[in-house]
Amino acid sequence: MSKKEDIIQTALDLFNRFSYGSIGVDRIIHESGVAKMTFYKHFTSKEKLIEACLVRRNENIQSAILSELDSYQSEDYLGRIKAIYTWYLNWFKSEDFHGCMFQKATVEILRQYPSVMQPIENYRLWLRNISEDLFVKLNVTQPHVLSSMFINILDGMTVYANMSQDYEQIEQSWDYIERLITLDQSSQIFSNAS
């Protein structure tokens, strides 16, 4: 692993487990085992490092979710939507879960480091596009609305999971999501029949 990679991996771990503000550059340098000069050769500021960490986090999440989607038949659109939901649920139960790094960045450091908005937006755009595409393929009447609701539910679940270990209540969210989809499809059948 390169020195740059050591820095990113160390910072990702620290920013994930703690707050962005509580982790300084000196600690990242110390725990990654690089010289200060090496750190600044790769990252001119803490802001640039946080940007790189959020870009990497986005890549990791996309890769993990796409891998989850690959286990479903390509025409099983409802199953693929549930796969995204299930990935989040499994993440909540993992040792790696300490809340969403994008949500934390939005709350903690966006004003101080405005350039981190771009990787946050990239993550949300990717999630919206992949979700909306699946809702379009399910032939719901307003895929963009259901997609937004789905993402808002995922966001809410993430906040709740970070505050509570009540996974049973979180798991029940899927029943509501599925019911919304089914109701939309049923109303469409009735409107087409009339």
Side-chain angles (χ1 to χ4, degrees), residues 15-113:
F15 291 145
N16 182 38
R17 288 189 291 129
F18 306 103
S19 68
Y20 290 98
S22 69
I23 301 299
V25 167
D26 288 341
R27 181 168 177 186
I28 294 164
I29 289 169
H30 174 72
E31 292 202 20
S32 60
V34 300
K36 192 173 269 198
M37 195 170 73
T38 304
F39 176 90
Y40 285 107
K41 179 180 130 188
H42 295 294
F43 301 102
T44 55
S45 65
K46 183 177 176 182
E47 182 174 6
K48 291 297 178 193
L49 174 61
I50 293 172
E51 277 184 72
C53 286
L54 291 174
V55 167
R56 176 62 55 83
R57 184 68 183 143
N58 187 14
E59 291 167 355
N60 292 346
I61 289 174
Q62 286 188 31
S63 174
I65 289 176
L66 290 172
S67 175
E68 192 79 28
L69 292 178
D70 285 344
S71 63
Y72 286 78
Q73 291 184 351
S74 57
E75 295 81 30
D76 183 6
Y77 306 123
L78 183 60
R80 290 164 74 84
I81 291 168
K82 188 173 183 180
I84 296 171
Y85 168 87
T86 302
W87 180 84
Y88 276 85
L89 194 59
N90 291 335
W91 172 44
F92 302 155
K93 296 175 183 178
S94 75
E95 288 183 16
D96 183 50
F97 180 71
H98 303 281
C100 173
M101 290 185 70
F102 300 101
Q103 287 177 347
K104 280 172 36 172
T106 303
V107 171
E108 293 176 17
I109 56 165
L110 191 55
R111 284 189 176 180
Q112 184 180 3
Y113 302 135

